Amino acid sequence: MPTPDRTSLEAIVEAGRDIVESEGPTGLTMQAVAARVGVRPPSLYKRVKNRDDLIRLITKATIRDLGDRLAAVEAEAGTGDASGPELDPRRTLADMARALRGFAHTRPAGFGLVFAPQTSPGGADVEAMTVAVAPLLRVAATLAGQEYELEAARTVTAWASGFIAMELAGAFNLGGDVDRAFEFGISRLADALAARPAN
Amino acid sequence: MPTPDRTSLEAIVEAGRDIVESEGPTGLTMQAVAARVGVRPPSLYKRVKNRDDLIRLITKATIRDLGDRLAAVEAEAGTGDASGPELDPRRTLADMARALRGFAHTRPAGFGLVFAPQTSPGGADVEAMTVAVAPLLRVAATLAGQEYELEAARTVTAWASGFIAMELAGAFNLGGDVDRAFEFGISRLADALAARPAN
DNA sequence: ACCTGAACACCGTTCAAGT
DNA sequence: ACCTGAACACCGTTCAAGT
């Protein structure tokens, strides 16, 4: 007769996310995860292939949350709420960038996992990422035109993720107002993408 | 009578850089470094405090190389060479961005170390980074005006590092020409920074 | 003054044995 | 079918003992 399950994949991933945020990626040991979900380390291998696999699952869950935030911004802009419909795509783009930054501030380590430069190749998060970024792609198309949709979306994503990564790493050490720099960047960027110059 | 030194800090850092590039950050073990410089692991601790310290030194050396490349672009633009003096700061900015990208392609892992989102706080690379980025700061000032120097430099650095990080992570999986996206981004960005709109 | 073997703590992972 | 203790390989780091 099988024993009732003492944990679940979901609980393991959730525990992993918590640990990553509180202890950093280094703190994410199989022992720590096991302790948190109340089993012994070897039991984890019934649900995840290994530590890298767990990190992949944590990253994927983070990407999904991130996509939810972008979708929420898009929905707000599209339908219009109490403050009225938001028609300027530049404003929507800025809101999405701010949503991304807000998310990064609440889950800095998770954000780091998603946008880490040294990701293992063939990460199966490709699909999740594609879905998550779809709203951004749509505003980019509205703003820069269908022809430059991909380029515009990549420009914004690159800028925002780079900015936030540097911010989280404490790279903005020359003083100055980081919020101001963020608003400066998104404003100029939105203008530039909407400009559609000849080249 | 003291024995002659069998290695040096320089050799250790250089070995570390090679290993990081060929095996990735995970492959950077004290044992691998020791084997490469021809001593036993414990001997490394005579020159570096620990593995984190070694990573810090590797990062710092990488930042210095990177700064050299930017300085070279600046020097070329300022003095003018066979192809004549390069006076358009937008062109200089684009050249610096391309230099950064070129560097990242030759040392992807090193680049990842420098622009990793999850850097340990208080990394002593602050000074090295400040020096390295100085040329970029100067073009930014020329382009966007002294008032927006810092914001403009941050915008470009964020975009470029974010773009390259995504490129290295294989995040540009929606097809399209990555080179084209890079040129699109730097071109629009340079225009936007030079525009100096009212806000 | 640098180098080393031995040792310790810690971690990922496997596996046979339990229920 | 899931869970566990025991075990193994591997790694970072310390330290007393060599030269």
Side-chain angles (χ1 to χ4, degrees):
Chain A
M1 191 160 83
T3 15
D5 293 13
R6 229 164 288 187
T7 184
S8 67
L9 179 58
E10 208 187 349
I12 290 171
V13 173
E14 218 46 48
R17 296 185 73 178
D18 288 352
I19 293 171
V20 164
E21 292 303 336
S22 58
E23 314 293 333
T26 323
L28 183 76
T29 66
M30 298 304 266
Q31 325 215 12
V33 174
R36 190 174 257 257
V37 300
V39 298
R40 299 289 174 173
S43 299
L44 299 176
Y45 293 85
K46 283 286 154 181
R47 331 237 177 211
V48 300
K49 220 170 93 187
N50 51 35
R51 185 173 177 272
D52 278 349
D53 187 41
L54 175 55
I55 291 180
R56 205 178 44 75
L57 292 169
I58 292 173
T59 306
K60 194 190 246 173
T62 309
I63 290 175
R64 218 175 294 125
D65 284 0
L66 201 150
D68 288 349
R69 296 229 186 180
L70 294 184
V73 172
E74 186 180 41
E76 236 180 272
T79 63
D81 61 350
S83 66
E86 183 177 283
L87 293 173
D88 186 355
R90 287 181 303 172
R91 194 154 191 263
T92 307
L93 189 77
D95 285 341
M96 285 188 183
R98 289 189 204 104
L100 192 66
R101 187 168 175 234
F103 180 77
H105 287 172
T106 59
R107 291 198 107 93
F111 177 89
L113 249 40
V114 175
F115 289 98
Q118 54 351 358
T119 297
S120 49
D125 309 325
V126 177
E127 198 183 322
M129 197 66 166
T130 306
V131 173
V133 168
L136 219 154
L137 215 58
R138 283 187 284 267
V139 213
T142 310
L143 206 62
Q146 199 64 40
E147 192 193 346
Y148 291 110
E149 173 188 32
L150 206 53
E151 283 79 6
R154 282 173 177 172
T155 302
V156 179
T157 311
W159 168 77
S161 67
F163 188 99
I164 297 164
M166 291 177 70
E167 182 182 13
L168 294 181
F172 292 147
N173 42 56
L174 261 47
D177 188 337
V178 177
D179 289 342
R180 184 177 120 134
F182 191 84
E183 292 301 326
F184 172 91
I186 190 63
S187 158
R188 294 291 179 109
L189 220 42
D191 286 349
L193 296 181
R196 310 197 199 181
N199 54 321
Chain B
M1 190 159 84
T3 14
D5 293 11
R6 227 163 291 186
T7 184
S8 69
L9 179 58
E10 208 188 347
I12 290 170
V13 173
E14 218 47 47
R17 295 185 74 178
D18 287 351
I19 293 170
V20 164
E21 292 303 336
S22 57
E23 313 294 332
T26 322
L28 184 75
T29 67
M30 298 305 266
Q31 325 215 12
V33 174
R36 190 174 258 256
V37 300
V39 297
R40 298 289 174 174
S43 300
L44 299 176
Y45 293 84
K46 283 285 154 185
R47 332 238 176 210
V48 300
K49 222 170 92 189
N50 50 37
R51 184 174 178 273
D52 278 349
D53 188 40
L54 176 55
I55 291 179
R56 206 178 44 74
L57 291 169
I58 292 172
T59 307
K60 194 190 246 173
T62 308
I63 290 174
R64 217 175 295 125
D65 284 0
L66 200 151
D68 288 350
R69 296 230 185 178
L70 293 184
V73 172
E74 187 181 37
E76 234 179 274
T79 64
D81 60 350
S83 66
E86 184 176 283
L87 295 173
D88 186 356
R90 287 182 303 172
R91 191 153 194 264
T92 307
L93 190 77
D95 284 342
M96 285 187 183
R98 288 188 205 106
L100 192 67
R101 187 166 175 237
F103 180 77
H105 286 173
T106 58
R107 291 196 107 90
F111 177 89
L113 249 40
V114 175
F115 289 98
Q118 63 338 8
T119 297
S120 47
D125 310 325
V126 177
E127 199 183 321
M129 197 67 167
T130 306
V131 173
V133 169
L136 218 153
L137 214 58
R138 283 188 283 269
V139 212
T142 310
L143 205 62
Q146 199 64 41
E147 191 192 347
Y148 291 110
E149 173 189 32
L150 207 53
E151 284 78 8
R154 281 172 179 174
T155 301
V156 179
T157 312
W159 168 76
S161 66
F163 188 100
I164 296 162
M166 292 177 69
E167 181 183 13
L168 293 182
F172 292 147
N173 42 56
L174 261 47
D177 189 338
V178 177
D179 288 343
R180 184 178 120 137
F182 191 83
E183 293 301 325
F184 172 91
I186 190 62
S187 157
R188 295 289 179 109
L189 220 43
D191 285 349
L193 295 180
R196 309 199 199 179
N199 53 324

